[in-house]
Amino acid sequence: MQILVTGGAGFIGGHIAQSVVEDGHDVTVLDNLDPYYDVGIKRHTIDICREAAQASDGSYEFVEGDVRDADLVDRLVAEADVVYHQAAQAGVRTSVDEPRKPNEINVDGTLNVLDAARDGEIERVVLASSSSVYGKPEYLPYDEDHPTTPVSPYGVSKLAGEQYARVYNEVYGLPTVSLRYFTVYGPRMRPNMAISNFVSRCTNGKPPVVYGDGSQTRDFTFIEDIVDVNRTLMTDDSADGEILNVGSTGNIDIHTLAEVIRDEIDPSLELEYGEQPTGDAQHTHADVSKATELLGYEPSTEIREGVSQFIDWYQDNRDWYEPLVLQS
């Protein structure tokens, strides 16, 4: 199959691109290499995908460009069978400082993809959404019927994107699925996330810094589980038109997470605390029963196991990854 991955040099998109090219599919990646964090991590991902293509029957093409470029998006989508739309301006805190940019990319860019897809013969558009659409919990775990009241411009932009995808399915018959990711982590993850920050600091003998009092809870989802559900959607039409939670079904408070990482790397370190940023959700916890029913989704990696795997990967890749984390 011909697969287009927007944002395919990023963390999640890069893992999807690598996985499907290893399976022998022809993959095109569109990414603007935005320096939201050090682009060296993205360039490393591109190199990994190119090597994967050389070792498989698939092909890999990287196109440096932007989903806001409607003509470019039209051309690339016209050549694709399946589109994994992962491109976005990430970052809750960034969106608080600069709300228009996530709207331009996450809403207007998504409309470009959807418009291009409805004019072609796409088998499916899979859209990356976020647990940030929920905002303040009225109950936990979140199911897909929970009210959506985002507390950040980023969450608003993701909600708008997934609703456009739903409407394009209902109005135009475009096969779309939106996946609400819950705090994804794993190898090559963004350096400005809690897990990568904690691991980097502890590895270098510095105490992990917890924002707020650490009582915030997160449903952390291992990258392999995210890749698996996206791969399922390549050929499974059971969820067309749907919006699905994709999480781990468990959660952990940030204070305990910092302790788990500290205890594995350097138990002598003390935790430090900083001010909790505006726009951060207080709690996330996914009910994934809908994804399980429709797609057979079953998360495979509990947070402590996943963190241990990430620490091992960090140590094995420290020579290239750590300098880029420290610069970000």
Side-chain angles (χ1 to χ4, degrees):
M1 299 181 74
Q2 182 67 43
I3 310 298
L4 172 63
V5 186
T6 70
F11 170 43
I12 298 174
H15 277 277
I16 294 172
Q18 178 185 352
S19 178
V20 295
V21 80
E22 286 174 345
D23 281 348
H25 298 287
D26 298 323
V27 177
T28 300
V29 159
L30 172 65
D31 201 295
N32 68 354
L33 299 181
D34 186 284
Y36 172 61
Y37 58 89
D38 197 300
V39 297
I41 299 175
K42 297 181 179 182
R43 295 191 187 282
H44 192 86
T45 293
I46 294 168
D47 290 341
I48 288 174
C49 290
R50 284 174 173 154
E51 292 172 3
Q54 293 172 358
S56 76
D57 294 329
S59 65
Y60 177 86
E61 178 186 6
F62 173 72
V63 177
E64 185 171 352
D66 200 300
V67 291
R68 291 170 289 185
D69 184 340
D71 291 338
L72 176 60
V73 170
D74 283 345
R75 176 172 66 82
L76 296 180
V77 170
E79 300 169 352
D81 298 312
V82 174
V83 178
Y84 291 110
H85 180 42
Q86 309 296 306
Q89 174 58 60
V92 166
R93 300 164 195 171
T94 299
S95 76
V96 171
D97 295 332
E98 192 177 359
R100 288 190 176 273
K101 187 175 181 182
N103 188 77
E104 293 167 2
I105 298 172
N106 303 354
V107 181
D108 294 341
T110 295
L111 279 170
N112 285 341
V113 171
L114 294 172
D115 276 338
R118 77 181 175 99
D119 292 335
E121 297 182 0
I122 293 293
E123 295 186 23
R124 189 156 298 102
V125 176
V126 182
L127 175 73
S129 187
S130 167
S131 61
S132 295
V133 302
Y134 290 116
K136 297 178 181 179
E138 295 188 5
Y139 57 84
L140 292 172
Y142 293 120
D143 58 30
E144 290 83 356
D145 293 326
H146 186 283
T148 48
T149 52
V151 295
S152 68
Y154 171 77
V156 171
S157 71
K158 281 298 190 179
L159 181 60
E162 69 176 31
Q163 291 301 314
Y164 272 120
R166 178 188 59 80
V167 167
Y168 271 58
N169 173 261
E170 293 182 2
V171 174
Y172 305 113
L174 177 66
T176 65
V177 181
S178 294
L179 302 178
R180 288 175 177 167
Y181 298 152
F182 281 69
T183 317
V184 188
Y185 71 101
R188 305 199 304 271
M189 69 185 295
R190 286 196 348 239
N192 56 353
M193 303 292 284
I195 291 175
S196 51
N197 274 336
F198 291 167
V199 171
S200 173
R201 289 184 64 85
C202 290
T203 299
N204 288 280
K206 299 178 181 179
V209 178
V210 175
Y211 294 115
D213 63 4
S215 64
Q216 314 95 296
T217 60
R218 292 290 181 271
D219 188 329
F220 288 97
T221 315
F222 198 58
I223 184 62
E224 290 182 3
D225 292 328
I226 297 293
V227 170
D228 285 347
V229 72
N230 275 279
R231 284 162 50 94
T232 298
L233 288 167
M234 188 184 300
T235 55
D236 193 324
D237 63 1
S238 303
D240 282 356
E242 299 289 348
I243 298 170
L244 305 176
N245 288 338
V246 184
S248 72
T249 73
N251 65 354
I252 187 173
D253 66 82
I254 301 301
H255 177 89
T256 300
L257 174 67
E259 288 184 327
V260 167
I261 293 172
R262 183 271 314 272
D263 291 347
E264 183 161 341
I265 298 174
D266 187 349
S268 68
L269 296 171
E270 297 289 338
L271 271 58
E272 293 185 359
Y273 294 86
E275 183 178 352
Q276 184 172 349
T278 302
D280 275 2
Q282 187 67 18
H283 303 289
T284 67
H285 189 191
D287 178 341
V288 299
S289 55
K290 185 177 179 181
T292 300
E293 177 184 355
L294 293 177
L295 301 173
Y297 171 71
E298 293 288 349
S300 64
T301 307
E302 189 270 336
I303 180 62
R304 288 165 179 80
E305 175 190 352
V307 162
S308 182
Q309 290 185 36
F310 177 72
I311 291 171
D312 290 343
W313 177 88
Y314 186 101
Q315 300 298 345
D316 291 341
N317 294 270
R318 186 178 177 184
D319 58 337
W320 73 266
Y321 182 69
E322 184 172 83
L324 302 181
V325 171
L326 297 176
Q327 291 175 27
S328 297

